[in-house]
Amino acid sequence: AQSVTQPDIHITVSEGASLELRCNYSYGATPYLFWYVQSPGQGLQLLLKYFSGDTLVQGIKGFEAEFKRSQSSFNLRKPSVHWSDAAEYFCAAFYNFNKFYFGSGTKLNVKP
Amino acid sequence: DVKVTQSSRYLVKRTGEKVFLECVQDMDHENMFWYRQDPGLGLRLIYFSYDVKMKEKGDIPEGYSVSREKKERFSLILESASTNQTSMYLCASSAYEQYFGPGTRLTVT
């Protein structure tokens, strides 16, 4: 069955450090891929999306993600984290124009 | 910008009450979704709709029903609220990517 896995439940980074959040999707037909961010008590905001083409996609708030077919991965990165980036991040996949699958989320804590 | 609005940010209801959560989108999307989000359980799909008057059960439809009489509006109904339905409810609409509303924090006492 299709699924999305985010192996890290919690991550802590220092402000100014680089960030990489991992996401793997179940292999097979390449889905459309997304990253969302959720601040406490809020809805999910779309950070970026990958449909096809260039495997490095740029998003809002300085985030980028790289699609790697060989690893069935779509990892989210940011070169320098700000305290306001502390939030929960969700990876999602859309298969066959049929159903969305969300990962279980990674909570990011930013140390001053 | 796509806008998805939900009728309430916070709601407190009593056990046994009928509860209506409303969601409105302004992008003419065909697909709309209702999720609930609980700590440690992630997002779970309750129902979705791919057209007016069309609906499909998601992963956890028990205790819920939905209504979609107009394209822009998708309502979630708790027929008889129970304490285990205390949760954050998120509505989304989509063409391909999903756009989410701000959520409704429902407490059933």
Side-chain angles (χ1 to χ4, degrees):
Chain A
Q2 284 96 354
S3 67
V4 175
T5 304
Q6 292 179 247
D8 304 306
I9 299 173
H10 287 101
I11 281 188
T12 298
V13 299
S14 297
E15 191 167 16
S18 63
L19 171 71
E20 183 166 27
L21 301 183
R22 295 183 291 164
C23 172
N24 292 95
Y25 63 93
S26 56
Y27 55 85
T30 300
Y32 291 173
L33 293 161
F34 310 92
W35 274 99
Y36 289 86
V37 61
Q38 185 181 33
S39 298
Q42 304 295 317
L44 277 68
Q45 181 184 17
L46 180 67
L47 280 177
L48 47 77
K49 59 191 176 189
Y50 173 77
F51 290 171
S52 65
D54 193 345
T55 56
L56 186 64
V57 292
Q58 302 298 319
I60 62 171
K61 304 180 188 241
F63 285 92
E64 66 179 27
E66 186 171 14
F67 169 66
K68 292 186 178 179
R69 185 189 303 276
S70 61
Q71 297 176 19
S72 297
S73 69
F74 188 56
N75 294 349
L76 182 72
R77 301 195 294 241
K78 187 168 185 178
S80 177
V81 168
H82 189 262
W83 63 266
S84 60
D85 294 323
E88 190 160 17
Y89 292 80
F90 292 90
C91 182
F94 185 42
Y95 284 90
N96 301 325
F97 304 101
N98 189 12
K99 192 173 176 185
F100 271 84
Y101 295 85
F102 284 88
S104 52
T106 298
K107 283 190 178 169
L108 173 64
N109 183 39
V110 180
K111 286 192 303 186
Chain B
D1 273 356
V2 175
K3 190 137 189 187
V4 180
T5 56
Q6 295 184 228
S7 49
S8 305
R9 292 299 309 276
Y10 299 94
L11 211 50
V12 180
K13 295 292 182 181
R14 293 187 183 274
T15 302
E17 278 194 84
K18 191 168 185 176
V19 181
F20 292 86
L21 303 182
E22 291 215 314
C23 175
V24 177
Q25 52 101 356
D26 67 356
M27 278 302 293
D28 204 35
H29 286 159
E30 310 235 320
N31 303 317
M32 296 187 75
F33 307 79
W34 275 107
Y35 295 88
R36 64 177 283 177
Q37 185 179 27
D38 302 286
L41 297 177
L43 284 152
R44 292 182 291 168
L45 181 65
I46 305 172
Y47 268 96
F48 66 100
S49 167
Y50 51 87
D51 203 350
V52 175
K53 296 192 186 291
M54 307 300 282
K55 60 187 179 185
E56 292 281 344
K57 292 180 181 178
D59 301 317
I60 51 162
E62 297 78 20
Y64 303 94
S65 61
V66 289
S67 171
R68 189 148 181 222
E69 297 296 319
K70 293 186 178 180
K71 194 173 187 179
E72 67 270 19
R73 191 180 298 269
F74 190 35
S75 301
L76 179 70
I77 303 152
L78 286 67
E79 297 290 344
S80 177
S82 64
T83 54
N84 63 14
Q85 292 178 310
T86 291
S87 186
M88 171 72 116
Y89 289 87
L90 293 166
C91 174
S93 75
S94 80
Y96 298 113
E97 62 269 37
Q98 292 198 352
Y99 293 92
F100 284 83
T104 296
R105 173 74 64 185
L106 172 67
T107 302
V108 183
T109 60

